[in-house]
Structure formats: structure tokens, C-alpha cells
Amino acid sequence: MTVDLALLLAMGVMFAGGIYLVLERSLTRILLGIMLINNGAIMLLFLASGGVGLAPLFVRGRDPHEYADTLPQALILTAIVIGFAVVAFLTAMIYRSWLLIREDEVEVDAEDVKIARMPAWDAEDDAELVEESSEFLDDAADPNAHYEHATESRPHVRHASPTPPARPGPASAVRAHRADGGPRP
């Protein structure tokens, strides 16, 4: 099996150009970038599929390695369909954006900028945990059972406090009796 160097180079240029265009703010350039990436992926599947072969129709006495592999063909067809669907969706989104605001640019969202400027704090990575002596603890004895409820303002481990018993009221009084009217054991 020989691989055509020109096709490999074309595939690399398609991926590079597509990634560059997807990072732009113009929706039309994003659409063109998605199309280039899709065509690059189709070319990658085509190059990885190997050489051509005979039609996959069974003939007695023929070596099975002479037949063409149908899996790459199915993957290429699937990539074409998915690419067409994504392009159709983005085209509709661009058209709708043009109708509403007469712009093709993706605006900077103020909330995204605020979130990007915030320092990163992850409850799982940054919370202070107590060293466990055994890996076979039930949840009541585990000092780290509720570490994911820690916040940046309260990074220490919060131990679960037992919930107070429910006050008897009309709802609990109804549940305290059996269906025949007698009290539950």
C-alpha cells in the first residue's frame, strides 16, 4: 500500500486552515473552517482505508484479501452525512443571526469574560481532606463524605450533621396509621 504524499499534505493543510478559521469571530469563517475540517477528516479516512480492491461480492476460490474493505467506505459516507448536517445547522444559524441583528460576528459575552477572569478553584482539587485510616468506612464515619459541598469561601471539610426528627403534624399523622385505620408497629 502506498500513501500519496500530496494527499497527506492536502489533508494537513485542510486541518490547519480549518482550525484557524474556526478560531475566528465571523460565523461565515467558522462555517468554512468546519467544512475544511470535515473534508480533512474524510481525506484521512480515505488515506487510512488502504488500496482499492474488488467489489465485495462472493466468488468461490477468490482470496479474501483481494476484496475491498467496506468499513472505510461506510465511515466516509457517515462523515459526509454528519458534515452536511453540521453545515446545514450552521448555515441556518448564520441566516438567523443575519436576519435578527444584521451581523456575522460572534459577540463577546460579558459574563464569560467575568468567569474567565475569576481564579480557578475546584472543590475536588482544592478542598482540605482528612487522611483516612481505612478504605472500608461507611458514610457516617467517613470524614470526607461531603467534600464536594465545600466552597471557595469555606474550603474546609464540613461534617454532616444529623437531621432533626420530623415534627408530628397532619402529614406524619396520616402516615403513622395503616390502611385499615390502626397504628403502624
Side-chain angles (χ1 to χ4, degrees):
M1 173 179 99
T2 61
V3 177
D4 191 6
L5 189 60
L7 288 177
L8 281 176
L9 184 65
M11 179 192 66
V13 168
M14 283 184 186
F15 275 124
I19 290 171
Y20 174 76
L21 288 173
V22 164
L23 296 176
E24 293 289 324
R25 288 220 166 270
S26 171
L27 289 174
T28 305
R29 290 183 181 194
I30 292 172
L31 174 69
L32 293 174
I34 294 291
M35 292 170 67
L36 279 175
I37 290 172
N38 182 43
N39 287 331
I42 291 170
M43 193 170 292
L44 173 68
L45 290 170
F46 175 72
L47 290 173
S49 67
V52 296
L54 300 174
L57 301 172
F58 180 72
V59 176
R60 287 195 187 277
R62 184 167 290 164
D63 184 26
H65 297 291
E66 293 179 13
Y67 294 118
D69 188 11
T70 57
L71 180 63
Q73 297 171 10
L75 290 175
I76 289 172
L77 184 60
T78 304
I80 290 170
V81 170
I82 291 172
F84 179 75
V86 170
V87 166
F89 174 73
L90 285 175
T91 304
M93 205 166 75
I94 292 169
Y95 178 71
R96 182 74 174 159
S97 172
W98 182 256
L99 283 180
L100 291 177
I101 58 175
R102 295 283 185 213
E103 280 190 23
D104 189 24
E105 298 287 320
V106 177
E107 296 178 9
V108 176
D109 188 20
E111 293 299 319
D112 286 341
V113 172
K114 286 180 189 176
I115 291 172
R117 289 185 180 154
M118 290 174 49
W121 192 86
D122 185 21
E124 185 174 340
D125 292 336
D126 299 333
E128 295 176 15
L129 300 177
V130 179
E131 185 69 30
E132 297 176 5
S133 59
S134 172
E135 62 183 79
F136 301 108
L137 294 175
D138 58 345
D139 285 339
D142 186 6
N144 300 318
H146 298 287
Y147 74 92
E148 64 267 4
H149 298 295
T151 62
E152 186 175 6
S153 61
R154 297 178 290 170
H156 302 291
V157 175
R158 299 285 182 195
H159 295 288
S161 59
T163 57
R167 294 185 200 162
S172 61
V174 171
R175 281 188 236 124
H177 294 309
R178 290 189 303 209
D180 63 357
R184 288 191 178 171

